[in-house]
Amino acid sequence: MRIALALMLLPVVPLVQANAAAPAQAASTAVQDAALLAFLDTAYDEQLALSPESQTQLGLKTSNDRLDDYTDAAALRAEALAERQLVAMRARFKPAQLGESAGVSYRLFEYEVERGRQSLQFRKLRFPVSTNGSPAGDIPVLLINNHKVDTVADAQAYVARLRDTERVMREVATTMREQAAAGIIPNKVNFAPTRADAQAVLKGAPFDTGPDSSVWADFRKKVAALDAPADVKAKLLADGSAALTGPFRRGYDTLFAALDEIEPKSKGNFGAWSLPNGAAYYADRLKSSTTTDLTADQIHELGLKQVASIRLEMEAIKREVGFKGTLEAFFNSIRTDPKFKYPNTAEGREQYLGDARAVIASVMVAAPRYFRTLPKAPLEVRAVEKWREGTASTAFYNPPSADGSRPGIYYVNLVDMNQTQKVQVAGIAAHEGAPGHHFQIARQQELVGIPKFRKFGGYGAYMEGWGLYSERLANEMGVYKDPYARFGMLSLQVWRAIRLVLDTGIHAKRWTREQAIAYFKANSSVSDTDIAREVDRYFNWPGQATSYMVGELKIAELRARAERELGPRFDIRDFHEAVLSQGALPLAVLDEQVNRYIAAKRQ
């Protein structure tokens, strides 16, 4: 999953001490708390104004005729704005005069700006085009999934964005060339997939004589639904076609030219260690991803231990189903046996989607026994669109729009059903959908009394940790109907443990791509396609893959603490409410939050 605003992705915060304010003191802080909330919401709106795409993703129609500024100057402007806001907040508010939740908001905003300042020096080491995505795929996704067309003006704004694509591609190409001149060159694995996905956007009318391309089909459908005169609609379609075959197409050609120019300079596939100041860059990424000070060596060892532990659980299921060979042979059986596959057809894809929807429906039935509050936003399951299958991850979640007009969406990549495993369907649905990301992210957006940057932001270790915790929680909820489904869940768990080993192996220990793939395959039943896609993702996104297991282990530790200290007073619904009721938090702050819940339940 992705959050659009850069500031939202900047975690880590020092421990926030619990504020045991008496009711009278709480009343005295109410005015300051409300003032801080208003200040932070204004600050968020000022930051949001810098990103037209983020506005659209939230369901807003402001600035919907423009795309983001992709220049380095834009990054510096955003950082300067955040610094000015931090100075203003510190001058106006004192933490000692704030209530508990407001005090947390103060600290979170303060540290996010400080984290952003520390990370700013590494901004030119991040590749704008990789197998993790690029504007060539992100812009069509924005237009098709997020750009609402309710009026003629909305349609005109859509066309303006088609034209603006040329500027974006020019800015991205300039960045890529500047990086290459400084020796910062994407790995070889990036070029073919990103080029193929971009080419897929240009396949079909009005670019050629084939069926409508994805963007053109979307625009035509949205214009057809408008309540407008026929001549107005005809003009919109003519303008849209001209924008696509003109500036939009020229923008993609600009990107292709940059890829063609830079690809011969790529010498192989290397981790962050190979970049200028790469060790410091990777340490910064680990800090952001885990919200801890864990080192690469510590995370690597943690991963090795978790892989060994989960393998023991897998051995138990192997025995339960009566498989006589080694665990590696069992992995291969799961990976290759046709009974664990869906047909590689349209019908097979629909069967997968139907099974995933059934899993989520079963979670919804059981959920009231495990949660005090459920999100109001609906949840949909969709297949990744054909034109971005090559670079889209295996599965991911898109949050609802802020106004509730767009549901939460669990996307699954069904590019090759021969590589998709039935045993993993339930576990992936639990993680990406319910009770995973949807129960946390959609619920967070519906919280009241917290500032917008907390509603729509997040911390990778918490959010992905909750998703991974939800895979095991689904077992308690009765989601997995047979040992193979439970094995599928464990295959996802070991997948995230492997990430700890591989991410640190690649970026700190100089592992090769081949070495990473071999370790992954030896310790999981994940398909070859998914393994290669995942390893390439780790190369391109230093540190992010470590957030999942670090976060899950913390949530599991906190639950064990609550169960131990509360004994018969422990109620799983109250624990989940304590974890979810303040939205995403750095792990140290989550620890304090759960300690307050435990203390309150003891009284």
Side-chain angles (χ1 to χ4, degrees):
M1 58 152 300
R2 297 172 185 166
I3 303 294
L5 283 179
L7 187 59
M8 294 176 177
L9 294 173
L10 303 174
V12 184
V13 72
L15 195 65
V16 177
Q17 297 299 322
N19 183 348
Q25 182 185 349
S28 71
T29 65
V31 173
Q32 282 283 66
D33 290 357
L36 178 66
L37 178 62
F39 174 90
L40 291 174
D41 279 351
T42 298
Y44 178 85
D45 290 341
E46 290 172 348
Q47 294 168 6
L48 188 64
L50 300 178
S51 175
E53 294 176 29
S54 295
Q55 295 167 46
T56 299
Q57 287 164 352
L58 289 175
L60 306 175
K61 289 190 175 183
T62 47
S63 306
N64 68 343
D65 60 343
R66 291 183 284 122
L67 297 169
D68 282 3
D69 185 334
Y70 284 72
T71 64
D72 187 58
L76 295 175
R77 280 195 300 272
E79 176 64 20
L81 172 60
E83 294 288 0
R84 291 195 301 272
Q85 292 170 340
L86 177 60
V87 170
M89 183 184 74
R90 284 172 167 167
R92 183 173 170 187
F93 300 97
K94 305 302 177 188
Q97 298 171 1
L98 298 170
E100 186 177 280
S101 182
V104 171
S105 295
Y106 182 102
R107 284 292 178 188
L108 294 184
F109 187 83
E110 183 177 55
Y111 206 86
E112 285 187 0
V113 178
E114 293 173 346
R115 189 92 273 285
R117 183 190 311 138
Q118 294 164 9
S119 295
L120 190 69
Q121 63 182 304
F122 303 112
R123 66 192 183 280
K124 294 185 178 180
L125 300 183
R126 302 168 191 168
F127 300 121
V129 175
S130 75
T131 57
N132 289 344
S134 82
D138 294 342
I139 291 172
V141 169
L142 179 83
L143 292 170
I144 294 169
N145 291 344
N146 303 121
H147 188 113
K148 293 182 287 189
V149 175
D150 302 315
T151 67
V152 170
D154 294 338
Q156 292 169 336
Y158 193 117
V159 174
R161 276 181 156 162
L162 294 176
R163 297 189 186 110
D164 203 25
T165 299
E166 184 175 18
R167 171 191 58 81
V168 168
M169 297 304 188
R170 191 166 56 245
E171 291 172 354
V172 169
T174 297
T175 296
M176 293 173 66
R177 289 188 171 99
E178 289 175 350
Q179 287 180 315
I184 302 163
I185 299 168
N187 288 320
K188 278 188 174 296
V189 296
N190 287 299
F191 291 92
T194 56
R195 187 183 287 106
D197 269 11
Q199 288 168 339
V201 174
L202 304 180
K203 185 177 181 180
F207 306 108
D208 57 41
T209 57
D212 286 351
S213 66
S214 299
V215 176
W216 182 232
D218 176 68
F219 185 64
R220 288 185 61 186
K221 179 180 177 182
K222 288 173 176 174
V223 169
L226 282 175
D227 181 11
D231 61 328
V232 173
K233 291 185 177 182
K235 176 69 163 55
L236 288 171
L237 291 175
D239 290 346
S241 178
L244 283 167
T245 56
F248 186 89
R249 176 62 186 262
R250 287 198 301 270
Y252 276 69
D253 288 342
T254 296
L255 183 67
F256 292 140
L259 290 171
D260 292 345
E261 177 185 326
I262 294 169
E263 183 173 14
K265 301 177 183 179
S266 182
K267 304 304 181 186
N269 302 300
F270 308 102
W273 60 266
S274 67
L275 297 170
N277 206 17
Y281 169 52
Y282 185 50
D284 180 82
R285 291 298 84 210
L286 288 179
K287 196 169 189 179
S288 285
S289 295
T290 68
T291 72
T292 73
D293 291 322
L294 289 170
T295 66
D297 284 344
Q298 288 172 321
I299 293 171
H300 193 82
E301 288 304 312
L302 182 64
L304 293 173
K305 290 177 182 176
Q306 286 300 309
V307 169
S309 175
I310 297 168
R311 282 178 65 102
L312 292 177
E313 294 183 82
M314 297 171 118
E315 289 276 8
I317 291 191
K318 185 195 75 171
R319 292 191 298 270
E320 183 179 349
V321 300
F323 190 88
K324 301 301 183 184
T326 64
L327 186 57
E328 288 71 21
F330 191 46
F331 289 160
N332 196 52
S333 173
I334 295 292
R335 195 181 285 123
T336 59
D337 193 322
K339 74 179 180 182
F340 299 122
K341 306 287 184 185
Y342 291 93
N344 193 28
T345 61
E347 292 75 17
R349 290 173 175 83
E350 281 304 314
Q351 185 182 347
Y352 183 107
L353 295 173
D355 288 349
R357 291 172 184 133
V359 168
I360 288 169
S362 72
V363 169
M364 294 303 184
V365 172
R369 301 197 305 272
Y370 293 85
F371 295 89
R372 293 287 185 200
T373 308
L374 301 179
K376 299 184 182 73
L379 172 63
E380 291 186 6
V381 182
R382 299 183 189 176
V384 166
E385 299 88 349
K386 289 291 182 186
W387 47 267
R388 59 171 174 154
E389 287 177 335
T391 56
S393 57
T394 304
F396 52 96
Y397 175 76
N398 273 13
S401 58
D403 63 0
S405 62
R406 185 183 69 247
I409 303 169
Y410 153 38
Y411 279 101
V412 60
N413 194 339
L414 302 179
V415 60
D416 181 1
M417 300 307 290
N418 292 318
Q419 301 292 319
T420 301
Q421 298 176 8
K422 286 184 177 181
V423 300
Q424 292 181 344
V425 172
I428 294 175
H431 181 115
E432 302 294 345
H437 286 322
H438 187 65
F439 275 31
Q440 185 266 306
I441 297 171
R443 166 88 193 280
Q444 175 176 293
Q445 292 186 181
E446 295 164 6
L447 294 173
V448 296
I450 65 170
K452 293 177 184 177
F453 87 93
R454 291 178 62 187
K455 281 189 177 185
F456 303 117
Y459 303 89
Y462 174 102
M463 300 168 83
E464 298 298 356
W466 174 263
L468 199 52
Y469 166 82
S470 294
E471 294 174 13
R472 288 194 181 268
L473 177 63
N475 190 42
E476 299 176 47
M477 298 175 75
V479 169
Y480 307 124
K481 304 304 183 185
D482 58 48
Y484 287 107
R486 284 189 281 115
F487 180 85
M489 178 270 290
L490 290 176
S491 75
L492 299 173
Q493 292 280 311
V494 82
W495 184 336
R496 281 32 172 261
I498 287 168
R499 284 177 172 175
L500 299 180
V501 178
L502 296 193
D503 196 282
T504 52
I506 289 165
H507 296 293
K509 299 180 181 297
R510 306 193 178 198
W511 282 26
T512 65
R513 183 173 184 265
E514 293 70 27
Q515 189 177 357
I517 287 173
Y519 181 87
F520 203 141
K521 187 164 185 174
N523 288 286
S524 83
S525 63
V526 175
S527 70
D528 291 346
T529 296
D530 280 345
I531 287 175
R533 183 191 293 128
E534 280 286 302
V535 168
D536 293 345
R537 165 183 165 174
Y538 309 154
F539 270 95
N540 288 314
W541 203 353
Q544 192 272 345
T546 65
S547 60
Y548 299 73
M549 183 61 70
V550 170
E552 182 197 24
L553 292 174
K554 184 61 177 181
I555 295 172
E557 171 202 322
L558 294 175
R559 177 170 167 178
R561 182 192 305 169
E563 289 174 337
R564 182 176 65 252
E565 297 191 18
L566 294 178
R569 294 185 182 183
F570 177 83
D571 187 316
I572 190 63
R573 296 169 296 180
D574 294 334
F575 173 74
H576 289 154
E577 187 67 11
V579 171
L580 297 173
S581 62
Q582 287 293 309
L585 298 169
L587 299 186
V589 183
L590 178 62
D591 191 290
E592 289 293 327
Q593 168 78 358
V594 172
N595 280 344
R596 287 192 289 271
Y597 141 74
I598 293 172
K601 285 296 176 183
R602 278 174 166 168
Q603 295 176 359

